[in-house]
Amino acid sequence: MNIFCFTNKGSNSKINNDTILFVSESISGNPIIINEQNNYSHFINSIEGSAVGLVADGLGDTFASRLAVQTYNENFLDLIEIVGEREAVNWIMHNFIKLEVNAARESADDKNKAMSGASIAGILYHKFAGVFVFHAGDSKVFAVDKDKAIQITKDHINGYVLENCACAGGGHYISIEGSRRNKNHDYFIATNSMCELLSKKYSSAEEGVYNIMKLNNAEESINELKKLSENYGDNITALGLMNMFE
């Protein structure tokens, strides 16, 4: 597997509320955890073993987005022992519930934290159970093959308001898609602001995702994202996963 991650603080933003996690068996002692970065990009090639990639778009501040990546990273080693599809789904859900419980506990006496949340989207790749897509809110996951990119998550929104996201209020839900074993699929995980940028630069976000991922080279994909993000007002963040079954 080859991966790249990219985030950039918008020119109109005081802080980058987006957070990134990538952890695999081969780097479990040194996961990629990125938060509150003005700009950051990184790529790694030839990663082996089960892995989790997650993007979290903080709503209000970075509290909930940082908590999301910490929760899924702290429990990563439990994932390696999993052998089946049902267990993989349970692992995703267990961590989401733990995220909500911890958020509610930490924000009990903090009004600012209580009003914050995070839209999250992620990919779980398990060497035995397959590939699982999960999300809450309006961060998105795209599947990319040789011809096109398709958004495979359905946003949890009602009008312009996030209906369901990971936040201190609790009572929200997470969508899980799986198990996918299509060896021709690469995956692109992005915040809603990243998708809005791609929609402005291309005829659609899907076309933009396809053009970035079809390069099939993590470093070149990062360079393309850097060009697209110059002087953009909003925070934008993406995580790309290529050649997952190689």
Side-chain angles (χ1 to χ4, degrees), residues 142-205:
F142 296 82
V144 186
D145 60 25
K146 63 179 181 179
D147 298 316
K148 61 185 178 301
I150 300 174
Q151 182 180 332
I152 54 176
T153 54
K154 183 178 180 180
D155 294 354
H156 297 157
I157 60 174
N158 182 5
Y160 294 102
V161 180
L162 284 178
E163 195 172 49
N164 294 280
C165 60
C167 69
H172 304 90
Y173 66 83
I174 190 166
S175 295
I176 303 173
E177 304 276 346
S179 162
R180 301 171 183 268
R181 291 184 176 275
N182 190 329
K183 296 184 178 181
N184 295 318
H185 277 173
D186 295 330
Y187 294 92
F188 186 84
I189 312 169
T191 60
N192 189 55
S193 295
M194 170 63 81
C195 297
E196 289 177 348
L197 168 62
L198 295 177
S199 295
K200 292 176 180 178
K201 298 291 186 177
Y202 297 90
S203 62
S204 66

Side-chain angles (χ1 to χ4, degrees), residues 58-127:
L59 309 174
D61 63 19
T62 58
F63 159 66
S65 61
R66 284 186 289 108
L67 189 59
V69 301
Q70 289 168 5
T71 301
Y72 278 90
N73 179 56
E74 288 171 356
N75 295 280
F76 176 74
L77 293 180
D78 295 335
L79 175 66
I80 299 175
E81 304 300 322
I82 289 172
V83 295
E85 179 177 346
R86 186 69 257 168
E87 290 177 291
V89 171
N90 288 342
W91 184 88
I92 294 170
M93 183 58 71
H94 170 79
N95 282 288
F96 184 72
I97 294 171
K98 184 176 181 180
L99 164 61
E100 295 243 296
V101 169
N102 288 342
R105 181 184 298 120
E106 291 193 25
S107 64
D109 298 316
D110 189 322
K111 181 179 179 180
N112 290 330
K113 286 184 177 181
M115 296 176 66
S116 68
S119 171
I120 69 173
I123 294 283
L124 183 160
Y125 163 72
H126 194 278
K127 57 188 178 184

